[in-house]
């Protein structure tokens, strides 16, 4: 199922780009991102799984890119409300901290492999995560409502 959906998305995205409909492609990307984060927040609420919280926190850079993309295609002001909502969401994402610990990689020359040993983690306060969850739900519900 995932392969079929991925192939359909790829073909649809290419069609929109080939036909100079980059704004529609950016909206589809944005909608997919919002829905994915919504699913992740819903799962987190049920499981309180830290790995899910980390995946949510890792969306910080994607959100920044999505806002920039929408701003590029907001010539007529059509996406202003959505951009405003996403920027409000970004204020919470901006409070997330990333920790990175460099560990020397291990190279296995006989196998032609390099194993990365570095570790990264996401530090997100409960209140910030709660704000993100609430805002993502509100944005999603506004879009589908």
């Amino acid at each position: 199922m995932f392969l079929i959906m991925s192939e359909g998305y790829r073909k649809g995205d290419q069609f929109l780009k080939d036909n100079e409909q980059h704004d529609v492609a950016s909206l589809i990307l944005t909608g997919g991102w919002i829905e994915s984060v919504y699913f992740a927040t819903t799962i987190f609420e049920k499981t309180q799984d830290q790995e899910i919280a980390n995946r949510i926190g890792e969306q910080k850079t994607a959100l920044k890119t999505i806002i920039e993309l929408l701003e590029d295609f907001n010539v007529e002001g059509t996406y202003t409300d959505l951009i405003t909502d996403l920027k409000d969401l970004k204020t919470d994402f901006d409070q997330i901290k990333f920790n990175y610990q460099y560990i020397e990689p291990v190279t296995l020359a006989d196998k032609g492999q390099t194993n990365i040993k570095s570790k990264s983690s996401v530090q997100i306060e409960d209140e910030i995560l709660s704000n993100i969850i609430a805002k993502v739900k509100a944005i999603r519900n506004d879009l589908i409502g």
Side-chain angles (χ1 to χ4, degrees):
M1 183 74 126
F2 179 72
L3 289 172
I4 293 168
M5 290 175 58
S6 295
E7 182 65 15
Y9 174 80
R10 189 186 63 72
K11 286 182 179 181
D13 185 55
Q14 191 60 51
F15 172 82
L16 293 169
K17 288 177 181 174
D18 290 347
N19 290 287
E20 300 293 320
Q21 294 184 0
H22 300 285
D23 59 331
V24 176
S26 67
L27 284 175
I28 292 170
L29 174 71
T30 301
W33 181 84
I34 291 168
E35 194 67 12
S36 297
V37 176
Y38 172 77
F39 284 144
T41 59
T42 301
I43 292 168
F44 175 78
E45 285 183 306
K46 291 179 182 175
T47 66
Q48 299 297 304
D49 186 326
Q50 186 57 44
E51 284 302 310
I52 301 294
N54 291 349
R55 297 296 85 77
I56 294 166
E58 290 168 357
Q59 297 306 305
K60 178 179 180 174
T61 52
L63 176 56
K64 179 181 180 287
T65 302
I66 285 170
I67 291 169
E68 291 170 357
L69 187 64
L70 287 174
E71 288 177 328
D72 287 345
F73 296 109
N74 194 32
V75 178
E76 297 176 16
T78 308
Y79 314 131
T80 301
D81 291 343
L82 177 57
I83 292 168
T84 299
D85 290 344
L86 292 173
K87 283 183 175 181
D88 182 46
L89 176 62
K90 185 178 176 296
T91 62
D92 291 301
F93 270 96
D94 286 344
Q95 296 179 56
I96 295 172
K97 295 182 178 94
F98 292 94
N99 300 312
Y100 179 77
Q101 178 188 8
Y102 176 79
I103 300 173
E104 188 74 30
V106 175
T107 302
L108 307 171
D110 59 323
K111 294 183 179 182
Q113 277 182 291
T114 299
N115 295 326
I116 307 297
K117 300 288 186 172
S118 299
K119 297 179 182 180
S120 62
S121 64
V122 176
Q123 184 181 356
I124 181 169
E125 295 177 18
D126 291 341
E127 182 180 345
I128 299 302
L129 187 53
S130 293
N131 290 344
I132 289 171
I133 290 169
K135 288 178 183 180
V136 167
K137 280 183 183 179
I139 292 168
R140 182 204 183 250
N141 290 339
D142 188 46
L143 290 173
I144 65 171

